[in-house]
Amino acid sequence: MTHSIETTVLRVHPERPEPEKIKIAARVIRNGGLVAFPTETVYGLGANALDDQAVLKIFEAKKRPADNPLIVHIAGNEDIHLLTERLPEKAEALMNKFWPGPLTLLAPKSELVPNATTAGLATVAIRMPSHPVARALIAEADVPIAAPSANLAGKPSPTTAKHVLDDLSGRIDMVIDGGAVGFGVESTVLDITVDPPTILRPGPITKEQLERILGRIEVHPVAKAETLAETIVARAPGMKYRHYAPKADLVVVEGPPEKVVEKIRELADGRKREGKRVGIMVTKETADRYRADAVKVVGTRRNPRTIAKSLFKTLREFDESGFDVVFVEGIEPTGLGLAIMNRLRKAAGHNIVRIS
Ligand code: TXA
Ligand code: MG
């Protein structure tokens, strides 16, 4: 898209989107255009998943590398058969339990799915979102919708329509503004074409929840990697990109909370003596233990959902305020904490200080 296009903003009711507005957006999708829309995880940038020209526009608008496959979103179970002819046997129990919701499942792709959508892979990633706006849009468009997160490649995923516009205004046809999203981190991506099933990206549906249905599952080594070295082993497609690279140097400090506080204070003081602008991302429990140019509270440890919800917004805020270095408190990497730590470690380019 060399020429700037006008991006229409369509404000809708988040729970009961107005049908006449959804019709307008659905028409854009059917005509091969790009529409960003809220889901329960983050905002997605949607196009007709079965139209390779439309899908290529997504890659262009986001500046996304062509070898990073997209998730295809559906509104009802019947749509799944357009996308795959051999649904893995474990799919049904997961669909019954977690759909609609933030779980993405891999299946062998059908002929109908263009190579552009799956970046040439033999599998397609499928998810049925629960957000009323996403569901209404897909149903009205009456085609599966391919949608990556609606950010420029290398930016944090958007959790508001404003974030989408900050990145993509003039590059996409439309944004449906349905307010702030619920979870704030992207869906769990689960490969059920392998045994044991393997989490490629941790998300709101946790390993623990999946294990209750499936028994033993694995987390891909890259998805739980702490060090850069660990990310070099056999990566699944899309894992090699540092999705959430902030402008400042991000350093994640992990370990027992009390020691983490001490370590961050020491590191922050050192960098300040060097004349650097230092930011610190903390939890409510420890916020008053720091003095820094800017301490931002991301959420409370007692409820990791609050951290997930504000994570990308807070990273964007640090980006806007021109810090040289940002220290981040690590949290326990279990449950939703694994998804949070996966995003933070990636954002930090695996620049992690671990204390025991
Ligand atoms: O919550 C979400 O999943 C959001 C909303 C918009 O639905 N979407 C999203 O899409 O996060 P994206 O493109 O930002 O991330 C998709 C992830 C990437 O890590 C990609 O590599 C992986 O899913 N993926 C997609 N298709 C795959 C496939 N066939 N095999 C392995 N990984 C795949
Ligand atoms: Mg993304």
Side-chain angles (χ1 to χ4, degrees):
M1 249 160 268
T2 39
H3 304 290
S4 177
I5 55 174
E6 198 180 327
T7 303
T8 308
V9 180
L10 208 61
R11 192 179 300 256
V12 303
H13 192 289
E15 275 109 48
R16 291 178 303 281
E18 299 78 353
E20 65 281 7
K21 293 188 183 168
I22 295 298
K23 279 207 174 75
I24 296 170
R27 205 172 304 132
V28 176
I29 296 280
R30 289 193 68 90
N31 289 338
L34 300 185
V35 177
F37 60 96
T39 80
E40 70 278 20
T41 56
V42 299
Y43 272 73
L45 178 59
N48 179 353
L50 305 182
D51 173 350
D52 65 343
Q53 292 309 308
V55 165
L56 289 172
K57 287 188 202 165
I58 292 180
F59 286 88
E60 204 179 328
K62 276 186 61 108
K63 305 187 183 170
R64 182 180 178 101
D67 63 350
N68 195 357
L70 306 179
I71 294 173
V72 180
H73 299 65
I74 58 175
N77 277 354
E78 60 287 358
D79 297 346
I80 208 166
H81 304 292
L82 294 171
L83 306 176
T84 184
E85 278 139 31
R86 281 169 294 135
L87 193 61
E89 101 197 26
K90 297 199 163 75
E92 203 175 306
L94 295 167
M95 288 159 56
N96 288 338
K97 178 80 183 166
F98 298 114
W99 280 9
L103 176 67
T104 296
L105 299 172
L106 297 198
K109 87 167 192 69
S110 73
E111 291 283 312
L112 274 181
V113 180
N115 284 325
T117 302
T118 64
L121 294 177
T123 52
V124 57
I126 309 170
R127 118 168 170 86
M128 190 191 293
S130 62
H131 195 293
V133 175
R135 291 175 65 80
L137 177 67
I138 303 162
E140 182 65 33
D142 204 22
V143 289
I145 294 185
S149 50
N151 51 284
L152 279 175
K155 293 281 200 143
S157 293
T159 55
T160 63
K162 179 184 180 293
H163 295 162
V164 175
L165 289 168
D166 287 347
D167 281 12
L168 298 176
S169 182
R171 304 180 67 81
I172 62 176
D173 297 293
M174 185 174 282
V175 183
I176 307 180
D177 183 351
V181 300
F183 285 106
V185 290
E186 308 89 338
S187 64
T188 306
V189 178
L190 182 68
D191 188 352
I192 45 172
T193 70
V194 294
D195 195 34
T198 301
I199 293 178
L200 302 182
R201 181 176 68 184
I205 304 296
T206 64
K207 174 171 189 269
E208 294 79 358
Q209 281 176 294
L210 293 169
E211 272 168 345
R212 266 174 244 138
I213 307 284
L214 295 174
R216 190 166 82 87
I217 63 170
E218 271 175 17
V219 180
H220 194 284
V222 173
K224 59 182 176 192
E226 293 186 20
T227 65
L228 202 53
E230 287 170 284
T231 70
I232 291 164
V233 298
R235 301 178 213 242
M239 286 186 154
K240 64 182 166 217
Y241 300 107
R242 186 181 161 193
H243 293 271
Y244 319 100
K247 289 186 191 130
D249 285 339
L250 202 71
V251 183
V252 181
V253 182
E254 297 188 44
E258 187 47 40
K259 290 192 175 166
V260 165
V261 170
E262 270 165 39
K263 190 73 191 175
I264 291 181
R265 287 171 57 133
E266 175 195 321
L267 292 169
D269 285 346
R271 301 303 292 270
K272 274 191 274 181
R273 279 195 298 274
E274 294 165 9
K276 304 284 187 204
R277 279 201 70 201
V278 178
I280 308 182
M281 190 197 290
V282 304
T283 48
K284 187 164 169 269
E285 285 76 10
T286 50
D288 58 4
R289 305 284 314 279
Y290 299 99
R291 347 163 217 103
D293 302 12
V295 171
K296 288 188 199 290
V297 178
V298 65
T300 160
R301 279 168 197 267
R302 269 178 300 159
N303 183 0
R305 277 185 171 233
T306 61
I307 301 178
K309 198 173 163 87
S310 300
L311 186 66
F312 291 135
K313 174 173 74 85
T314 309
L315 286 174
R316 279 181 183 259
E317 284 168 9
F318 276 119
D319 256 1
E320 282 158 15
S321 12
F323 290 99
D324 299 305
V325 53
V326 173
F327 293 100
V328 183
E329 288 180 352
I331 63 163
E332 181 79 37
T334 53
L336 187 57
L338 182 63
I340 293 165
M341 290 312 295
N342 165 267
R343 307 309 190 273
L344 281 174
R345 289 163 177 168
K346 277 211 276 189
H350 296 274
N351 190 355
I352 292 167
V353 175
R354 169 161 288 290
I355 36 183
S356 43

